[in-house]
Amino acid sequence: MAKRSYTKTPMKEQAPEIRNQNFSEVALGYSLEEGQLEASRCLQCKNAPCIQNCPVMIDIPGFIKQIEEGDMAAASEILSKYTNLPAICGRVCPQEKQCEMVCRLGQSKKFEPVAIGKLERLVADWALQQPIEPLAISHDKGKVAVIGSGPSGLTAAGDLAKLGYEVTIFEALHMPGGVLTYGIPEFRLPKAIVSKEIERIQATGVTIETNVVVGKTITMEEIMADFDACYLSVGAGAPNFMGIPGTSLNGVYSSSEYLTRINLMKGYEFPTYDTPVQKSKNVVVIGGGNVAMDAARSAKRLGAENVSIIYRRSREELPAREEEYHHSVEEGINYHWLSNPIEYLNDGTGKLTAVKCVKMELGEPDESGRRRPQVIPGSEFIVEADTAIEAIGQGANRVLLDTFPELQLNRWGYIDADPATGATSIPGVFAGGDIVTGAATVILAMGAGKVAATQIDQYIQTKKAEVTV
Amino acid sequence: MFKIVKKTELNPIEFEIYVEAPRIAQKAKAGQFVILRINEHGERIPLTVVDTDVEKGLVRLIFQVIGKSTAELATLTAGESLADLVGPLGKATDIENYGSVLLVGGGVGIAALFPIVKALKEAGNHVITVLGAKNKDLMILADECGQYSDELILMTDDGSLGQKGLVTDAMKEVFAKETIDMAWAIGPSVMMKFCTLTAEAAGVPIYVSLNPIMVDGTGMCGGCRVTVDNQIKFACVDGPEFLGAGVDWDEFVNRMGQYRNEETVANEDYEKKVTQHG
């Protein structure tokens, strides 16, 4: 075997100056040969730490071994035991903080970790090319309702269908996928991939009903009467606004609105698609997470000349994925580190003309361990902007929770669910994903969905056993 | 898919459709709305639920052609379907027996007012209704509103039906001779603003139903945000009804015009397509 490369096998990408003008996927994927080369870097550890650090505990050395041997069907079979959405996770997981962070190869100073995410993507993309075979299992163990079709709900639904349940997902929007569909842009996660992955879950016998707002179109009471159990995976989709003066000026958006217009409604193809999205020259995005990166890179692709990200901490604390940060810099996004907006300025006609900011410095660490930013007095500065997008996080949407007062919430307004089981204060009602944890990652939401599926199975079977005794 | 079972042209710019949506029909209450999408390329547009037929599972909608989507919607006929229809959304009107109530509707806003007129009458109120339109041909639902009103006053800009003048003129007359416990106004934003000022002057609390730009309609984006009593509210989940006195009207009107250029582009593009296809 050739000498093990110190660095990850590079993945082909669209050139930055080309891709920042289109919405096509940036990373183009491995060929089988590139995948095999990368797979050969894996040390095949016993007690592999990468498995322990994957929220759904995929047998990583196992599937990588199969890639090395060129058996994609076997690799795919291993993946499908653990994850229902591998093509998505391979693309959007923050691997540098999970599986790849603890990769033994990467622990030695000379070597980069194995590109686990890129290998997962290779296998999953191969699998999506294969014909879908409907799963030949009967769904007679009971009926489960899943509320919300984001990564957590889809995972729970897929697992429950495989366990023999009749599963119905209720989705408020006209397309399933949650954040995968309305939030993460095409250039990072092609919607055709999301659709195909969802089709595969439907092939396990899952029914998806779109245009159903639980709490409005149907009530929780009706669901609890019709189903043996339900899983609440409605996410944390209500946007927060900082509430600084000028928030209602034209040109000020929540990242949720901006990205929904672009991704779900395909505003970047206006007027072929009917939903407009503002054309901008100078765009300011506030925040430092993946959502901020997505909004900034989308704005650039819509033709904005200057796009800058305003983040109140420094580069070191940036919560976004490493890869997205690098991509954003390559595509020409500017950064104002240690800065915070304090006012949106009006051009006199109700439109945004600039954002007034202040400089920050980092003080003592807060409870999250990150140093708390403080305003430097007299440090005001102005950034010209016709569009400002707030990507400062989301909270729990009250629509369902307000109509279900029996359900216990925690002090942040999220559902109070046992993290080990997903059980809520109401028997038969389970919850997981962002509606329990607050905005987190796709893979953590999937992990919660897996746990809930097992627990829901146990709950229903125990209850049925009690009835028959 | 949501099938249109009946369509009526009320006048050259306003249309009525009955759409099959049993779940929505069963749940919708006065004051609530739906969001529809015509087809795969469509945008999501909000429309008030005018009425429901629970037995047949139908939702009654009325719209005015004001841009691309409504123009396209007007081309659909009975038997065709909408790609998406979701609801009922928003908070329902607080229906109770207030005593004497005044309801004011303008233009296509009358469609949104009608279910509230009906519900308030059924709750035992003394109902006075004022409807305003440009002219006789554009006056909608006058008979139906009249059926649930103790007094019906019709106003037209040109005097071709009822009295000549604005709805606020009629409001002033009503306030001069009657004690009103609660009022509602639904129509163009400028009308609702002036109805609010008129009611305030008479010391009568008045609800308005705001119709800002919406995308999802479920509280997920904040596109429909309005400032009420100096606080940001999302009209789709906190409203659409608010007490008019607390609404920042200038901001509301300004935000309504956010996409004026794009709306023109969409319209021109659509007209071009329609002419090309003859």
Side-chain angles (χ1 to χ4, degrees):
Chain A
M1 194 179 65
K3 193 162 167 269
R4 196 172 261 119
S5 161
Y6 291 137
T7 54
K8 289 179 181 176
T9 308
M11 183 179 274
K12 287 186 199 75
E13 288 181 348
Q14 283 196 71
E17 65 280 8
I18 296 189
R19 71 179 191 237
N20 70 10
Q21 292 170 52
N22 68 52
F23 274 83
S24 306
E25 194 170 16
V26 169
L28 302 172
Y30 280 153
S31 66
L32 177 60
E33 293 69 31
E34 287 163 339
Q36 283 178 302
L37 182 65
E38 182 61 21
S40 71
R41 295 178 68 234
C42 176
L43 300 170
Q44 291 293 321
C45 309
K46 286 200 181 102
N47 307 320
C50 54
I51 301 179
Q52 301 306 319
N53 239 29
C54 165
V56 297
M57 298 187 69
I58 294 174
D59 174 9
I60 291 166
F63 92 80
I64 289 182
K65 183 85 198 146
Q66 297 302 334
I67 297 177
E68 198 182 349
E69 287 169 12
D71 191 344
M72 298 301 270
S76 169
E77 179 133 7
I78 293 173
L79 275 185
S80 69
K81 272 190 215 155
Y82 303 92
T83 165
N84 293 315
L85 304 166
I88 291 162
C89 282
R91 287 174 166 82
V92 305
C93 271
Q95 288 97 1
E96 76 272 13
K97 291 173 189 160
Q98 295 174 339
C99 53
E100 294 180 19
M101 183 174 85
V102 295
C103 168
R104 283 225 177 99
L105 184 68
Q107 303 301 302
S108 71
K109 274 204 177 134
K110 278 186 179 170
F111 289 89
E112 283 181 3
V114 176
I116 300 168
K118 293 182 166 74
L119 289 173
E120 180 183 24
R121 170 186 163 157
L122 169 68
V123 176
D125 285 358
W126 174 88
L128 288 180
Q129 302 301 315
Q130 311 309 310
I132 299 178
E133 286 162 38
L135 208 63
I137 47 168
S138 56
H139 298 104
D140 53 5
K141 283 176 75 181
K143 281 175 74 182
V144 182
V146 172
I147 324 299
S149 66
S152 199
L154 287 171
T155 299
D159 279 11
L160 284 161
K162 286 182 198 164
L163 286 167
Y165 289 91
E166 187 187 329
V167 183
T168 307
I169 303 184
F170 295 108
E171 165 58 47
L173 288 172
H174 60 262
M175 297 258 285
V179 75
L180 308 171
T181 299
Y182 72 76
I184 305 176
E186 188 79 18
F187 55 81
R188 208 148 75 77
L189 181 62
K191 300 308 149 211
I193 300 274
V194 177
S195 301
K196 272 192 189 168
E197 213 132 76
I198 292 173
E199 269 171 47
R200 295 190 96 76
I201 290 176
Q202 286 173 298
T204 64
V206 172
T207 306
I208 302 180
E209 292 199 29
T210 53
N211 294 314
V212 177
V213 184
V214 174
K216 295 276 184 190
T217 315
I218 53 174
T219 62
M220 278 305 294
E221 247 174 24
E222 289 167 312
I223 286 177
M224 289 166 73
D226 273 6
F227 294 87
D228 296 305
C230 79
Y231 181 54
L232 299 174
S233 48
V234 296
N240 295 329
F241 286 96
M242 287 183 293
I244 61 176
T247 301
S248 289
L249 289 175
N250 290 346
V252 180
Y253 287 88
S254 74
S255 55
S256 311
E257 181 186 355
Y258 195 72
L259 291 172
T260 299
R261 283 179 178 272
I262 292 170
N263 300 323
L264 177 70
M265 306 311 298
K266 300 209 180 302
Y268 62 93
E269 289 188 46
F270 176 85
T272 303
Y273 283 80
D274 293 340
T275 306
V277 57
Q278 184 166 307
K279 291 266 177 238
S280 323
K281 191 175 170 206
N282 301 308
V283 179
V284 158
V285 179
I286 299 122
N290 288 320
V291 177
M293 307 291 128
D294 287 344
R297 296 172 68 198
S298 296
K300 191 85 191 174
R301 283 161 169 79
L302 285 168
E305 287 171 27
N306 305 301
V307 181
S308 46
I309 287 182
I310 296 183
Y311 181 52
R312 62 199 183 117
R313 293 184 159 103
S314 63
R315 162 79 185 93
E316 218 169 279
E317 289 82 16
L318 197 74
R321 280 183 81 206
E322 213 34 50
E323 188 178 351
E324 306 318 325
Y325 167 70
H326 284 299
H327 280 151
S328 75
V329 173
E330 285 176 350
E331 289 166 13
I333 311 294
N334 307 313
Y335 281 81
H336 294 281
W337 303 111
L338 288 162
S339 301
N340 209 27
I342 53 167
E343 187 180 351
Y344 297 114
L345 303 180
N346 190 337
D347 75 344
T349 70
K351 280 192 212 143
L352 177 74
T353 185
V355 183
K356 193 195 272 186
C357 306
V358 283
K359 282 282 184 197
M360 313 288 283
E361 60 189 349
L362 293 178
E364 293 300 305
D366 63 13
E367 56 274 24
S368 76
R370 292 185 303 180
R371 294 170 65 196
R372 193 191 298 272
Q374 296 160 341
V375 176
I376 301 175
S379 63
E380 288 178 9
F381 65 102
I382 303 260
V383 184
E384 206 181 318
D386 50 8
T387 301
I389 303 160
E390 291 196 8
I392 57 160
Q394 294 95 241
N397 189 320
R398 303 290 318 174
V399 170
L400 181 150
L401 304 179
D402 282 349
T403 58
F404 195 24
E406 312 91 288
L407 188 69
Q408 208 171 314
L409 306 181
N410 65 24
R411 64 190 168 111
W412 297 280
Y414 297 115
I415 296 174
D416 197 2
D418 181 340
T421 65
T424 68
S425 56
I426 296 170
V429 177
F430 294 76
D434 287 2
I435 189 58
V436 170
T437 57
T441 60
V442 168
I443 188 72
L444 286 173
M446 284 181 53
K450 281 198 94 64
V451 169
T454 316
Q455 295 294 323
I456 289 169
D457 178 35
Q458 247 179 47
Y459 165 83
I460 294 176
Q461 293 317 312
T462 311
K463 214 171 106 186
K464 289 203 166 156
E466 280 166 8
V467 173
T468 42
V469 166
Chain B
M1 299 293 269
F2 297 82
K3 194 168 147 197
I4 298 171
V5 298
K6 192 177 153 202
K7 182 199 175 189
T8 315
E9 185 178 331
L10 301 176
N11 57 50
I13 57 166
E14 287 164 302
F15 297 83
E16 173 185 87
I17 52 175
Y18 283 84
V19 188
E20 252 174 27
R23 278 176 174 154
I24 303 176
Q26 208 177 61
K27 293 283 176 0
K29 292 199 177 80
Q32 291 189 298
F33 65 95
V34 290
I35 283 198
L36 67 82
R37 199 169 68 116
I38 300 170
N39 54 38
E40 290 308 308
H41 288 86
E43 61 183 333
R44 295 169 65 97
I45 56 171
L47 286 177
T48 305
V49 176
V50 179
D51 213 342
T52 55
D53 183 332
V54 179
E55 248 168 59
K56 293 186 183 149
L58 300 181
V59 171
R60 180 188 184 190
L61 305 172
I62 291 177
F63 61 94
Q64 181 181 344
V65 174
I66 48 162
K68 194 233 156 151
S69 290
T70 44
E72 197 172 11
L73 188 56
T75 66
L76 298 186
T77 54
E80 292 185 279
S81 293
L82 304 172
D84 301 289
L85 188 70
V86 62
L89 301 170
K91 289 201 167 124
T93 305
D94 269 332
I95 300 294
E96 51 181 275
N97 192 341
Y98 294 92
S100 264
V101 294
L102 173 64
L103 294 113
V104 186
V108 76
I110 296 171
L113 188 81
F114 169 63
I116 303 172
V117 172
K118 189 175 163 189
L120 285 169
K121 183 65 205 164
E122 284 168 351
N125 289 280
H126 179 76
V127 176
I128 302 173
T129 303
V130 174
L131 303 181
K134 269 204 181 107
N135 57 50
K136 178 169 167 281
D137 295 335
L138 298 182
M139 179 68 79
I140 57 168
L141 301 176
D143 292 345
E144 280 178 278
C145 285
Q147 204 186 320
Y148 294 97
S149 304
D150 295 282
E151 193 184 337
L152 178 71
I153 304 167
L154 302 180
M155 306 294 293
T156 47
D157 293 357
D158 63 356
S160 56
L161 179 68
Q163 301 171 47
K164 181 175 168 155
L166 301 170
V167 290
T168 44
D169 301 333
M171 285 176 77
K172 283 175 200 158
E173 278 174 40
V174 171
F175 289 140
K177 62 180 173 106
E178 303 248 4
T179 308
I180 299 294
D181 299 291
M182 188 61 86
W184 277 260
I186 306 180
S189 43
V190 176
M191 181 204 106
M192 290 194 285
K193 177 183 171 178
F194 283 97
C195 289
T196 298
L197 296 175
T198 308
E200 261 186 328
V204 177
I206 186 166
Y207 281 108
V208 294
S209 180
L210 299 182
N211 53 339
I213 294 170
M214 287 187 188
V215 185
D216 65 285
T218 61
M220 296 262 305
C221 83
C224 67
R225 64 191 184 276
V226 291
T227 302
V228 180
D229 297 327
N230 297 314
Q231 281 182 319
I232 294 178
K233 298 278 180 191
F234 293 180
C236 71
V237 289
D238 300 319
E241 274 180 33
F242 297 98
L243 282 169
V247 174
D248 183 333
W249 289 102
D250 293 344
E251 176 193 296
F252 177 68
V253 172
N254 179 53
R255 284 184 63 79
M256 293 283 277
Q258 218 175 337
Y259 289 99
R260 202 144 285 151
N261 294 338
E262 288 82 355
E263 284 158 8
T264 310
V265 169
N267 241 333
E268 286 168 358
D269 182 72
Y270 179 64
E271 273 164 26
K272 214 162 54 192
K273 272 182 204 148
V274 172
T275 3
Q276 273 166 5
H277 293 285

